[in-house]
Amino acid sequence: DTTRGRANVLREFLTQNTKDNPFNHPEIAQAMELCISCKGCKSECPSNIDMATLKAEFQYQYNKSHKIPLRTKLVAHNARLNKLASKFPNIHNALVKQNWFKSALGIAKQRQLPLLAKQTFRHWFKNYKQKECKNKVYFFCDENTNYYDVEIGVKAVKLLNVLGYKIVLLNHRESGRTYLSKGFLDEAKEIAEVNISIFKDVITKNTPLIGIEPSTLLTFRDEYINLVNPDYKNIAKNLAKNVLLFDEFLSREFKKGNIDKSFFKSKAQSVLLHGHCHQKALSGTHSSFQILNIPKNYTVTIMNTGCCGMAGSFGYEKEHYAISMQVGEDTLFPKVRKTPLDTEIVAAGTSCRHQIYDGTKRLAKHPISILKEALKKEL
């Protein structure tokens, strides 16, 4: 159950294989079972073993020799299913609250499945009237923002527009993160190549692509480059240079002097920041720290914590619920519980915020929400 242990199991069975499908070994499946694809090994392992990528490849190959469970298919096709369910959000939300429904899908009864917003982010954006700005950015509408965290997407757009940026939203595909998490690499590759073809000619240093959810946006800088056909690889690498998390973009603009501190209130506020695993591995939390310090008298502390334990769908699965909560109890939950109630808890990842609430009953906010609330009312 360590990166080294999983790598050793994988290597041994692949090199000593006697089956037509060298990945068709239950022992490998058992070794990969508790890998939560946090990508910590990608940045922290001395050998830079990317176990998340190896796990995705294993799942892809293993699926060829085994019947894929219904829950796995539903998670993989989550964005497609939500597109249909978003036409009847009240019915969907009532259904996913039922314990019998969760039990039938192998979801832990202790979990509250994410609820669909009353309208999608794309529907809201279509009717939003922006003020004219000379600066332009492209917005990546990921599957979480479009269906679940619409409110955060709305705050992001309004905040950017107030700060002087026109937001452009293209008709792109979802990120493919759910397909990657369950080993549906053919579907993920198709999405990657479609998205790259849509953005490759419009995204530049001056007109970057900005996203909110680390696990989805950072696919452009990680998995997409490895997924696409060889003739697309350099295009994917060039595009990735100008794909930024919301925090990274605001931090960059603030350093350039394009964001004025006077736009924000000056009241004192303590903020405790928990970093998303993919963010820590591929981007870093320094940009979140910097933008949360833009409002005068804000005091920000980055928590020294590991994974929250949710890891996408992992923490929702009934067989993984207990260990998911145990991971949270390792460092994150105790620190949150000791935090004074007047201190804001902040986390960029959707799963992180859900897990923090489930483990501590404290509401965590996205950095965007903190900054939007800190804006002066007249703006």
Side-chain angles (χ1 to χ4, degrees), residues 4-145:
R4 180 186 298 275
R6 293 187 178 102
N8 285 341
V9 171
L10 187 61
R11 182 182 65 248
E12 285 300 313
F13 276 95
L14 292 183
T15 56
Q16 306 294 331
N17 175 66
T18 58
K19 297 185 177 182
D20 292 336
N21 181 351
F23 291 87
N24 184 20
H25 292 279
E27 293 87 352
I28 306 179
Q30 183 180 1
M32 296 292 180
E33 176 73 12
L34 297 183
C35 172
I36 54 179
S37 299
C38 65
K39 295 185 182 289
C41 55
K42 186 179 178 74
S43 59
E44 296 177 19
C45 173
S47 300
N48 298 118
I49 299 297
D50 188 354
M51 187 51 62
T53 296
L54 294 177
K55 180 183 179 181
E57 180 65 27
F58 161 72
Q59 288 176 307
Y60 173 65
Q61 300 293 347
Y62 193 74
N63 286 346
K64 293 178 179 180
S65 301
H66 295 266
K67 183 179 179 181
I68 302 175
L70 175 62
R71 185 181 67 188
T72 300
K73 292 179 180 178
L74 293 177
V75 171
H77 295 291
N78 183 252
R80 184 181 297 180
L81 294 171
N82 280 343
K83 184 175 182 179
L84 297 174
S86 64
K87 301 180 187 300
F88 313 98
N90 292 335
I91 296 175
H92 170 275
N93 292 343
L95 181 63
V96 299
K97 291 178 181 179
Q98 305 301 313
N99 282 335
W100 65 263
F101 180 79
K102 290 188 282 187
S103 178
L105 296 182
I107 302 298
K109 63 181 181 180
Q110 299 93 329
R111 294 291 190 193
Q112 171 64 64
L113 287 167
L115 303 179
L116 293 178
K118 292 183 178 179
Q119 67 172 339
T120 66
F121 173 81
R122 284 188 175 276
H123 184 268
W124 173 85
F125 187 84
K126 193 179 296 184
N127 299 306
Y128 177 63
K129 304 298 182 184
Q130 299 186 55
K131 73 173 187 177
E132 288 301 318
C133 303
K134 65 177 182 178
N135 298 310
K136 180 172 68 173
V137 296
Y138 287 83
F139 189 81
F140 183 70
C141 178
D142 66 84
E143 47 270 37
N144 286 340
T145 302

Side-chain angles (χ1 to χ4, degrees), residues 300-356:
V300 187
T301 303
I302 300 176
M303 286 192 281
N304 182 19
T305 50
C307 181
C308 71
M310 184 66 92
S313 66
F314 180 88
Y316 287 98
E317 297 161 359
K318 64 179 183 181
E319 68 272 25
H320 296 142
Y321 172 77
I323 197 166
S324 168
M325 299 304 288
Q326 188 178 345
V327 171
E329 287 289 355
D330 185 48
T331 55
L332 177 60
F333 295 167
K335 290 184 177 182
V336 172
R337 292 192 190 106
K338 293 177 183 177
T339 302
L341 295 178
D342 58 353
T343 296
E344 295 281 14
I345 306 297
V346 179
T350 302
S351 294
C352 296
R353 295 193 298 276
H354 286 193
Q355 179 76 329
I356 288 171

